[in-house]
Structures are given as structure tokens and as C-alpha cells.
Amino acid sequence: YVNDMLGYLGEKNTEEKAKKIVAFEKEIAKFLLTDEEQDDITKYNNPMKVSEIAKKIKNVDIQKFLKDVGVNTDNVNVEELKYYENLDKIINMSNIEVIKDYMKFQLISGAAGILDEKTSNRSFEFYGKVLSGRKWRNSWKSLCREEFLGRS
């Protein structure tokens, strides 16, 4: 799927890039809460000062980022603490090319449903059929009909 999406963008060496993107996603996943941990409030309720979390992250100026996006606060709740504690391992100059490819993939994959039919269908094949087990999808016309006329 990743290989196909990159190909739709006209990227070269898509198979190699796709393997690196999947490996990158697996690396990120190591630092995220599991489904079971997400059910435990003590795991995701981590209130702290922005200055405190900034000390944990060297490769991203989190205080400047928050200011630039209009978030003016001294305190935050860090739901994925282990992720932020390891952010410098994830985002660094040694993997900048993978990050760029990852962002390209996320862009097209996220927008696939509203792009051309080929891209939209490929997205449904992967997310709808493979991951979710659905056999078919509603067209936009049937979704509108169900929404406005009620489900039959």
C-alpha cells in the first residue's frame, strides 16, 4: 500500500522508500501506549509544565512550536509521555529523508478518499477490505441518501 501511494505521487525507488517508512512507523510504535495502556488513566494523564517537557526534547523547540501555532500555556497534559521522552530518537537529521517520505505518504494516504478514483479505490482496498474486513463501500450518493432520507 505504501509503495503504491508513493508511486501515485511519481516517486522513484518506491519499494525501498516504503520499507523504510514501515520501519519508521514501527519505531514510532515502540514508544506509543498499547491498547491496554490507553485504558489506564495513570498512563496517559501526565500534566507537566511546557518547560519541563522541553528539557526532554532537544531536536524540536517545543516551546517555540506551541507559541507559533497559537498555544499560549505554561502547562500541558502529555498523553504519550514515552513518545516525547524518545522524540529525539525519532526526529533527527540521520533520518530526515525517511521523515520527508513519511510525510508525503501521510499526505496522499490521508487525502486518498477525495483524490482520483484509482487512489481512492486503492485506499479502500487496504483500509476498508484488508484492515477492516469490509466487502464493499458506499458511494457518496448512497451515503447522502442514507443521511438525508434515513437508513433503511
Side-chain angles (χ1 to χ4, degrees):
Y1 175 74
V2 177
N3 182 31
D4 290 347
M5 290 290 128
L6 292 173
Y8 297 157
L9 285 173
E11 291 288 310
K12 306 282 187 243
N13 304 317
T14 58
E15 192 170 326
E16 177 186 338
K17 289 178 179 182
K19 286 178 184 177
K20 288 180 180 180
I21 288 169
V22 171
F24 181 68
E25 287 184 322
K26 286 180 180 180
E27 186 66 23
I28 292 171
K30 290 179 189 176
F31 305 119
L32 299 177
L33 296 174
T34 64
D35 289 343
E36 294 79 21
E37 290 171 325
Q38 289 176 12
D39 290 337
D40 182 351
I41 192 169
T42 64
K43 300 280 186 186
Y44 63 84
N45 186 28
N46 302 292
M48 56 181 30
K49 293 191 175 298
V50 173
S51 59
E52 191 179 347
I53 192 71
K55 290 177 187 174
K56 298 177 184 295
I57 306 167
K58 303 295 181 226
N59 293 342
V60 176
D61 185 341
I62 196 74
Q63 290 173 309
K64 181 180 181 322
F65 171 76
L66 291 174
K67 183 180 174 190
D68 288 351
V69 297
V71 176
N72 298 308
T73 185
D74 293 329
N75 300 298
V76 292
N77 184 49
V78 180
E79 292 187 12
E80 295 281 355
L81 186 58
K82 194 164 74 170
Y83 171 82
Y84 284 98
E85 291 173 339
N86 289 281
L87 193 59
D88 289 340
K89 294 177 186 174
I90 298 167
I91 299 176
N92 56 65
M93 291 309 291
S94 68
N95 66 358
I96 197 72
E97 293 305 316
V98 174
I99 293 170
K100 288 178 185 178
D101 291 333
Y102 174 76
M103 297 305 290
K104 290 175 193 175
F105 163 70
Q106 290 297 323
L107 179 66
I108 191 168
S109 182
I114 60 170
L115 296 174
D116 61 275
E117 190 172 348
K118 178 180 177 184
T119 307
S120 178
N121 287 341
R122 181 63 182 104
S123 178
F124 175 73
E125 286 173 17
F126 182 69
Y127 287 110
K129 290 181 179 179
V130 175
L131 295 184
S132 300
R134 294 186 354 223
K135 306 258 186 280
W136 56 278
R137 70 174 169 183
N138 290 337
S139 68
W140 69 269
K141 290 178 184 176
S142 66
L143 289 173
C144 289
R145 189 170 36 254
E146 287 177 10
E147 184 65 31
F148 293 108
L149 301 177
R151 299 181 196 277
S152 34

